[in-house]
Amino acid sequence: MSNKTISVSNQKGGVGKTTSVINLGAALNSANKKVLLIDNDPQGNLTAGLGYTPAEQPRTLANLLLAAIDYPEDLDYHLQKAIIHTDTGIDLIPANRRLADAAARLQVMQLSQYNAVGDAERVSEHIMADLLNHLRASYDYIIIDCGLKHELLTVNALVASDYCIVPVQAHFLASEGIPEVLELVKSVREKFNPKLQIAGILLTMYQSRPQLCHSVRESVSEIYGEAFHVFERPIEYSIKVAECPAAGQSIFEYAPKNAAAESYRSLAEEVLRLA
Ligand SMILES: Nc1ncnc2c1ncn2[C@@H]1O[C@H](COP(=O)(O)OP(=O)(O)OP(=O)(O)O)[C@@H](O)[C@H]1O
Ligand SMILES: [Mg+2]
C-alpha cells in the first residue's frame, strides 16, 4: 500500500475540485489502487457525483468527526458503518449539510483551546488526522474533496494530508485563489504538518489547444514563482465532463474516449509517481 493522502483544495468556487476528485479517484482505481474518497464539503457534491443522495445518507463524515471528538474509542465501529463501498470498488465517506454542524463543533473546540492547556492530542485541527489514522493502512490513496466555507474543515484535511492538489480554471489564472491556498498550506505546514507538500497546480476547463498550455505554465511561474509544479496535461473543457455527475459516473465510464479522460489518466500517472 502506498498510503498517500491528498487534499484537493482551492478556496475559489467552481474550479473543478469535486470533478477532479471523482476522476482522479477513478483513474487510480483503474490502476488497481485501493481508493477512499472523502466528501469534506457540506454541499455533498462528491457524494451526489458518485450517485448517492446526500440528504439520505444516515452516516456521514459529520458523524465520524463528532465520534472522533466524543467517542474516539468507538471510532472503528462508526467507520465501518459510514464507509460506502461503491460498485466500482472505490470507497466513499459521504457528506451532507450536517457537516456544517460538525464544523461548528470544531470551531467551538478551537475557541476553548485558548483557555485550556495540555491534551495536545485533541486539538480541533487534528480531528480528521486522528480519524484517518484508523484508515490509512487500508488504502493506497485517500483523496479529500474540500469545500469553500468552513476553513477549519479544510485545515483539518490539510493537516491529515501528504499532498495538496490545487485545481484552477486555466483562463482565470491570476484570479483563481492560488495565493490563498498557498498561504493556507504554508501556515498548516508550519503549525501542524511539516510533511505537507503541494503536488501541483491542475489546470481545468481548458479551452485552448494543449500546445498552448506551456504559455499558461509560464504565467504560473511568472505569477507564483518557479516553485510550483503544474501538472503536465490540462483538463479539457467538455460538456461530457459536466454531464458525468448527473449519471453518477466518472468520465472513464461515461465517455471513455473523451480527451478529459486521457488528461485525468495522465494526472493519475503523475500522482502515482509522487514519492
Ligand atoms: N473539464 C470540465 N469541462 C466542463 N465542465 C466542467 C469541467 N470540470 C468541471 N466542470 C463543471 O463545472 C462545475 C464546477 O465543477 P466542480 O463542482 O468540480 O467544481 P468545485 O471546485 O468542486 O466547485 P465547488 O467550489 O462548488 O465545490 C460543475 O458543474 C462541473 O460539472
Ligand atoms: Mg466541489
Side-chain angles (χ1 to χ4, degrees), residues 45-195:
N45 291 347
L46 173 62
T47 303
L50 292 178
Y52 299 86
T53 307
E56 287 173 4
Q57 302 311 309
R59 309 239 175 195
T60 62
L61 181 60
N63 301 87
L64 295 178
L65 291 172
L66 295 174
I69 297 169
D70 293 323
Y71 313 103
E73 64 283 3
D74 296 341
L75 209 46
D76 287 323
Y77 167 81
H78 289 285
L79 279 165
Q80 269 181 32
K81 295 221 150 201
I83 294 176
I84 297 175
H85 306 288
T86 73
D87 294 342
T88 57
I90 292 174
D91 282 359
L92 166 70
I93 296 179
N96 57 29
R97 305 222 161 272
R98 295 192 46 219
L99 187 54
D101 303 337
R105 178 70 196 281
L106 289 172
Q107 205 106 47
V108 171
M109 226 179 136
Q110 191 182 42
L111 288 172
S112 65
Q113 273 162 223
Y114 294 113
N115 306 324
V117 226
D119 207 4
E121 295 291 303
R122 318 225 27 249
V123 285
S124 61
E125 292 88 351
H126 266 282
I127 299 300
M128 202 175 296
D130 292 349
L131 193 69
L132 294 201
N133 283 341
H134 290 248
L135 293 169
R136 274 184 242 276
S138 311
Y139 295 97
D140 292 303
Y141 291 92
I142 299 176
I143 309 176
I144 310 174
D145 183 21
C146 294
L148 296 177
K149 296 186 198 164
H150 311 293
E151 189 174 84
L152 198 43
L153 288 177
T154 300
V155 168
N156 260 273
L158 292 173
V159 172
S161 292
D162 304 295
Y163 291 100
C164 176
I165 291 176
V166 185
V168 300
Q169 237 173 303
H171 47 292
F172 295 129
L173 200 56
S175 57
E176 283 300 279
I178 303 182
E180 289 81 1
V181 193
L182 301 185
E183 198 52 45
L184 193 61
V185 167
K186 185 163 167 261
S187 143
V188 166
R189 194 188 290 137
E190 285 168 4
K191 288 193 201 136
F192 304 106
N193 180 10
K195 73 177 192 303

Side-chain angles (χ1 to χ4, degrees), residues 13-19 41 43 148 205 235-238 241-242:
V15 294
K17 296 182 289 290
T18 303
T19 303
D41 182 348
Q43 290 190 106
L148 296 177
M205 303 184 215
I235 309 299
E236 292 81 359
Y237 179 90
S238 162
V241 177

